[in-house]
Amino acid sequence: DLDFQGGDFTISLWFYQNNHSGVDYLISKFSGWRLFVNAGSVAYSYFTESDNSTVNISQSGLSFPAPAWHHFMVTGDVSGGFIRLYLNGNYVNKLAWDGTIKNTGSILRLGSRDGGASQTLNGFLDDVYINSGAAFTKSETTYTVPTSPMKDM
């Protein structure tokens, strides 16, 4: 189940941006959740089940050059009550979370979001890992960036 209803989760991937012009959607379940980068910031957003409002967690002012490969990870930790963002092995931000994300039934999209050519990744993805049921880390410092594909937890 990729709607992450009430459980821990991890989304981990490598991305390569050709440049930092505009929003690059990395992975999404439209009207459910999405990961994206935008001019030096990383972000995860989701829609709430109760009122369909959008909740964003992001971190701007990050220095990650383009073109280049970078590792981006988001974890949802229900028991701890947080969604956490990581870039290149470093914890960058967190947001309080009650474990609910809207169940949309929409398809999973890699490198884009619904809506057209202006909402696609200008680059590449590699080693995309999604786990519904476990948070890879709950650390608020650093983690070791995977150098090989992640295994089921």
Coordinates of all heavy atoms in Angstrom, one line a residue, residues 24-75:
D24 N 11.1 20.3 -10.0 CA 11.3 19.0 -10.5 C 10.6 18.0 -9.6 O 11.1 17.8 -8.5 CB 12.8 18.7 -10.7 CG 13.4 19.3 -11.9 OD1 12.7 19.6 -12.8 OD2 14.7 19.4 -11.9
Y25 N 9.6 17.3 -10.1 CA 8.9 16.3 -9.3 C 9.7 15.0 -9.5 O 9.9 14.6 -10.6 CB 7.4 16.1 -9.8 CG 6.6 17.3 -9.3 CD1 6.4 18.4 -10.1 CD2 6.0 17.3 -8.0 CE1 5.7 19.5 -9.6 CE2 5.3 18.4 -7.6 CZ 5.1 19.5 -8.4 OH 4.4 20.5 -7.9
L26 N 10.0 14.4 -8.3 CA 10.8 13.2 -8.3 C 9.9 11.9 -8.3 O 10.1 11.0 -9.1 CB 11.7 13.1 -7.1 CG 12.6 14.4 -7.0 CD1 13.4 14.3 -5.7 CD2 13.6 14.5 -8.2
I27 N 8.9 12.0 -7.5 CA 8.0 10.8 -7.4 C 6.7 11.3 -6.7 O 6.7 12.2 -5.9 CB 8.6 9.7 -6.5 CG1 7.7 8.4 -6.5 CG2 9.0 10.1 -5.2 CD1 8.5 7.2 -6.0
S28 N 5.5 10.8 -7.2 CA 4.3 11.3 -6.6 C 3.1 10.3 -6.8 O 3.2 9.4 -7.6 CB 3.9 12.6 -7.3 OG 3.4 12.4 -8.6
K29 N 2.2 10.4 -5.9 CA 0.8 9.8 -6.0 C -0.1 11.0 -6.0 O -0.4 11.5 -4.9 CB 0.5 8.8 -4.9 CG 1.2 7.5 -5.1 CD 0.6 6.4 -4.3 CE -0.8 6.3 -4.5 NZ -1.4 5.1 -4.9
F30 N -0.5 11.5 -7.1 CA -1.1 12.8 -7.2 C -2.3 12.9 -6.2 O -3.1 11.9 -6.1 CB -1.6 13.1 -8.6 CG -2.2 14.4 -8.9 CD1 -1.4 15.5 -8.8 CD2 -3.5 14.6 -9.1 CE1 -1.9 16.8 -9.0 CE2 -4.0 15.9 -9.3 CZ -3.2 17.0 -9.2
S31 N -2.5 14.0 -5.6 CA -3.5 14.3 -4.6 C -3.4 13.4 -3.4 O -4.3 13.3 -2.5 CB -4.9 14.2 -5.1 OG -5.1 15.2 -6.1
G32 N -2.2 12.7 -3.2 CA -1.9 11.9 -2.1 C -0.6 12.4 -1.4 O -0.7 13.0 -0.3
W33 N 0.5 12.3 -2.1 CA 1.8 12.7 -1.6 C 2.7 12.9 -2.8 O 2.5 12.4 -3.9 CB 2.4 11.8 -0.6 CG 2.5 10.4 -1.0 CD1 1.6 9.4 -0.8 CD2 3.6 9.8 -1.8 NE1 2.1 8.2 -1.4 CE2 3.3 8.4 -2.0 CE3 4.8 10.3 -2.3 CZ2 4.2 7.6 -2.6 CZ3 5.7 9.4 -2.9 CH2 5.3 8.1 -3.1
R34 N 3.8 13.7 -2.6 CA 4.8 13.9 -3.6 C 6.1 14.4 -3.0 O 6.2 15.1 -2.0 CB 4.3 14.8 -4.7 CG 3.9 16.1 -4.2 CD 3.2 17.0 -5.2 NE 2.6 18.1 -4.7 CZ 1.3 18.4 -4.7 NH1 0.5 17.6 -5.4 NH2 0.8 19.5 -4.2
L35 N 7.2 14.0 -3.7 CA 8.6 14.5 -3.4 C 9.0 15.4 -4.5 O 8.8 15.0 -5.7 CB 9.6 13.4 -3.2 CG 9.9 12.8 -1.9 CD1 8.7 12.0 -1.4 CD2 11.1 11.9 -2.0
F36 N 9.6 16.5 -4.2 CA 10.1 17.4 -5.3 C 11.2 18.2 -4.8 O 11.5 18.4 -3.6 CB 9.0 18.2 -5.9 CG 8.2 19.1 -4.9 CD1 8.6 20.4 -4.8 CD2 7.2 18.6 -4.2 CE1 7.9 21.2 -3.9 CE2 6.5 19.4 -3.3 CZ 6.8 20.7 -3.2
V37 N 12.0 18.8 -5.8 CA 13.0 19.7 -5.5 C 12.7 21.0 -6.3 O 12.1 21.0 -7.4 CB 14.4 19.2 -5.9 CG1 14.8 18.1 -5.0 CG2 14.5 18.7 -7.3
N38 N 13.1 22.2 -5.7 CA 12.8 23.4 -6.4 C 13.9 24.5 -6.0 O 13.9 24.9 -4.9 CB 11.4 23.9 -5.9 CG 11.0 25.2 -6.6 OD1 11.6 25.6 -7.5 ND2 9.9 25.8 -6.0
A39 N 14.7 24.7 -7.0 CA 15.7 25.8 -6.8 C 16.5 25.8 -5.5 O 16.4 26.7 -4.7 CB 15.1 27.2 -7.1
G40 N 17.1 24.7 -5.2 CA 17.9 24.6 -4.0 C 17.1 24.2 -2.7 O 17.6 24.3 -1.6
S41 N 15.9 23.7 -2.9 CA 15.2 23.2 -1.7 C 14.6 21.8 -2.0 O 14.4 21.5 -3.2 CB 14.0 24.2 -1.4 OG 13.0 24.2 -2.4
V42 N 14.4 21.1 -1.0 CA 13.8 19.7 -1.1 C 12.5 19.8 -0.4 O 12.4 20.5 0.6 CB 14.7 18.6 -0.5 CG1 16.0 18.5 -1.4 CG2 15.1 18.9 0.9
A43 N 11.5 19.0 -0.8 CA 10.2 19.1 -0.2 C 9.5 17.8 -0.3 O 9.7 17.0 -1.3 CB 9.4 20.2 -0.8
Y44 N 8.6 17.6 0.6 CA 7.6 16.5 0.6 C 6.3 17.1 1.0 O 6.2 17.9 1.9 CB 8.0 15.4 1.6 CG 6.9 14.3 1.8 CD1 6.9 13.3 0.9 CD2 6.0 14.4 2.9 CE1 5.9 12.3 1.1 CE2 5.1 13.4 3.0 CZ 5.0 12.3 2.1 OH 4.1 11.4 2.3
S45 N 5.2 16.8 0.2 CA 3.9 17.3 0.6 C 2.9 16.2 0.6 O 3.1 15.2 -0.2 CB 3.5 18.5 -0.3 OG 3.3 18.1 -1.6
Y46 N 1.9 16.3 1.4 CA 0.8 15.4 1.3 C -0.5 16.0 1.6 O -0.6 17.2 2.1 CB 1.0 14.2 2.4 CG 0.9 14.7 3.8 CD1 -0.3 14.6 4.5 CD2 2.0 15.1 4.5 CE1 -0.4 14.9 5.8 CE2 2.0 15.5 5.8 CZ 0.7 15.4 6.5 OH 0.7 15.8 7.8
F47 N -1.6 15.4 1.3 CA -3.0 15.9 1.5 C -3.6 15.1 2.6 O -3.4 13.9 2.8 CB -3.8 15.6 0.2 CG -3.4 16.5 -1.0 CD1 -2.3 16.0 -1.8 CD2 -3.9 17.7 -1.2 CE1 -1.9 16.8 -2.8 CE2 -3.5 18.4 -2.3 CZ -2.5 18.0 -3.1
T48 N -4.3 15.9 3.5 CA -4.9 15.2 4.7 C -6.2 14.5 4.3 O -6.9 14.9 3.4 CB -5.2 16.3 5.8 OG1 -6.1 17.2 5.2 CG2 -3.9 17.0 6.2
E49 N -6.5 13.5 5.0 CA -7.7 12.7 4.7 C -8.9 13.4 5.2 O -9.9 13.4 4.5 CB -7.6 11.3 5.5 CG -8.7 10.4 5.2 CD -8.6 9.8 3.7 OE1 -7.5 9.3 3.3 OE2 -9.6 9.9 3.0
S50 N -8.8 14.2 6.3 CA -10.0 14.8 6.9 C -10.6 15.9 6.0 O -11.8 16.0 5.8 CB -9.7 15.3 8.3 OG -8.6 16.2 8.2
D51 N -9.7 16.9 5.6 CA -10.2 18.0 4.9 C -9.6 18.3 3.5 O -9.8 19.4 2.9 CB -10.2 19.3 5.8 CG -8.8 19.6 6.1 OD1 -7.8 19.0 5.7 OD2 -8.6 20.6 6.9
N52 N -8.7 17.4 3.1 CA -8.1 17.5 1.8 C -7.1 18.7 1.7 O -6.9 19.2 0.6 CB -9.1 17.5 0.6 CG -8.4 17.2 -0.7 OD1 -7.5 16.3 -0.7 ND2 -8.9 17.8 -1.8
S53 N -6.7 19.2 2.8 CA -5.7 20.3 2.8 C -4.3 19.8 2.5 O -4.0 18.6 2.8 CB -5.7 21.1 4.1 OG -5.4 20.3 5.2
T54 N -3.4 20.7 2.0 CA -2.1 20.3 1.7 C -1.2 20.6 2.8 O -1.2 21.7 3.4 CB -1.6 21.0 0.4 OG1 -2.5 20.8 -0.7 CG2 -0.2 20.6 0.0
V55 N -0.3 19.7 3.2 CA 0.7 19.9 4.2 C 2.1 19.8 3.6 O 2.3 18.8 2.9 CB 0.6 18.9 5.4 CG1 1.6 19.1 6.4 CG2 -0.8 19.0 6.0
N56 N 2.9 20.8 3.7 CA 4.3 20.8 3.1 C 5.3 20.8 4.2 O 5.2 21.5 5.2 CB 4.5 22.0 2.3 CG 3.6 22.0 1.1 OD1 3.7 21.2 0.2 ND2 2.7 23.0 1.0
I57 N 6.4 20.0 3.9 CA 7.6 20.0 4.7 C 8.7 20.2 3.7 O 8.8 19.5 2.7 CB 7.8 18.8 5.6 CG1 9.2 18.9 6.3 CG2 7.7 17.5 4.8 CD1 9.5 17.8 7.3
S58 N 9.5 21.3 3.9 CA 10.6 21.6 3.0 C 11.8 22.2 3.7 O 11.7 22.5 4.9 CB 10.1 22.5 1.9 OG 9.8 23.8 2.5
Q59 N 12.8 22.3 3.0 CA 14.0 23.0 3.6 C 14.6 23.7 2.4 O 15.1 23.1 1.4 CB 15.0 22.0 4.2 CG 16.2 22.7 4.8 CD 15.8 23.6 6.0 OE1 15.0 23.2 6.9 NE2 16.3 24.8 6.0
S60 N 14.7 25.0 2.5 CA 15.3 25.8 1.4 C 16.7 26.2 1.8 O 17.1 26.0 3.0 CB 14.4 27.1 1.2 OG 14.4 27.8 2.4
G61 N 17.4 26.8 0.9 CA 18.7 27.3 1.2 C 19.8 26.2 1.2 O 20.9 26.4 1.7
L62 N 19.5 25.1 0.7 CA 20.4 24.0 0.7 C 21.4 24.1 -0.5 O 21.0 24.6 -1.6 CB 19.7 22.6 0.6 CG 18.8 22.3 1.7 CD1 18.0 21.1 1.4 CD2 19.6 22.2 3.0
S63 N 22.6 23.7 -0.3 CA 23.6 23.7 -1.4 C 23.8 22.3 -2.0 O 24.4 21.5 -1.4 CB 24.9 24.3 -0.9 OG 25.8 24.3 -1.9
F64 N 23.2 22.1 -3.1 CA 23.4 20.9 -3.9 C 23.5 21.2 -5.3 O 22.6 21.6 -5.9 CB 22.4 19.8 -3.5 CG 21.0 20.1 -3.8 CD1 20.3 19.7 -4.9 CD2 20.2 20.8 -2.8 CE1 19.0 20.0 -5.1 CE2 18.9 21.0 -3.0 CZ 18.3 20.6 -4.2
P65 N 24.7 21.0 -5.9 CA 24.9 21.5 -7.3 C 24.2 20.7 -8.3 O 23.8 19.5 -8.1 CB 26.4 21.3 -7.5 CG 26.8 20.2 -6.5 CD 25.9 20.4 -5.3
A66 N 23.9 21.3 -9.4 CA 23.3 20.6 -10.6 C 24.2 21.1 -11.8 O 24.6 22.2 -11.9 CB 21.9 21.1 -10.8
P67 N 24.5 20.2 -12.7 CA 24.1 18.8 -12.7 C 25.0 17.9 -11.8 O 26.2 18.1 -11.7 CB 24.3 18.4 -14.1 CG 25.4 19.3 -14.6 CD 25.3 20.5 -13.9
A68 N 24.3 17.0 -11.0 CA 25.0 16.1 -10.1 C 24.0 15.2 -9.5 O 22.8 15.4 -9.5 CB 25.7 16.9 -9.0
W69 N 24.5 14.0 -9.0 CA 23.6 13.1 -8.3 C 23.5 13.4 -6.8 O 24.5 13.8 -6.2 CB 24.2 11.6 -8.4 CG 24.0 11.0 -9.8 CD1 24.9 10.9 -10.8 CD2 22.8 10.4 -10.2 NE1 24.3 10.3 -11.9 CE2 23.0 10.0 -11.6 CE3 21.5 10.2 -9.6 CZ2 22.0 9.3 -12.3 CZ3 20.5 9.5 -10.4 CH2 20.8 9.1 -11.7
H70 N 22.3 13.2 -6.3 CA 22.1 13.5 -4.8 C 21.1 12.4 -4.3 O 20.3 11.9 -5.0 CB 21.5 14.9 -4.6 CG 22.3 16.0 -5.2 ND1 23.5 16.4 -4.5 CD2 22.3 16.7 -6.3 CE1 24.0 17.4 -5.2 NE2 23.3 17.5 -6.3
H71 N 21.3 12.1 -3.0 CA 20.4 11.2 -2.4 C 19.4 11.9 -1.5 O 19.7 12.8 -0.7 CB 21.2 10.2 -1.5 CG 20.3 9.1 -0.9 ND1 19.8 9.1 0.3 CD2 19.9 8.0 -1.5 CE1 19.1 8.0 0.5 NE2 19.1 7.3 -0.6
F72 N 18.1 11.6 -1.7 CA 17.0 12.3 -1.0 C 16.2 11.2 -0.3 O 15.8 10.2 -0.9 CB 16.1 13.0 -2.0 CG 15.0 13.9 -1.4 CD1 15.0 14.3 -0.1 CD2 14.0 14.2 -2.2 CE1 14.0 15.1 0.4 CE2 12.9 15.0 -1.7 CZ 12.9 15.4 -0.4
M73 N 15.8 11.4 1.0 CA 15.0 10.4 1.7 C 14.0 11.1 2.6 O 14.3 12.1 3.2 CB 15.9 9.5 2.5 CG 15.2 8.4 3.2 SD 16.2 7.1 3.9 CE 17.0 8.0 5.3
V74 N 12.8 10.6 2.7 CA 11.8 11.0 3.6 C 11.3 9.8 4.4 O 11.2 8.7 3.8 CB 10.7 11.7 2.9 CG1 10.0 10.8 1.9 CG2 9.7 12.3 3.9
T75 N 11.2 10.0 5.7 CA 10.6 8.9 6.5 C 9.4 9.4 7.3 O 9.4 10.5 7.8 CB 11.7 8.4 7.5 OG1 12.1 9.4 8.4 CG2 12.9 7.8 6.8

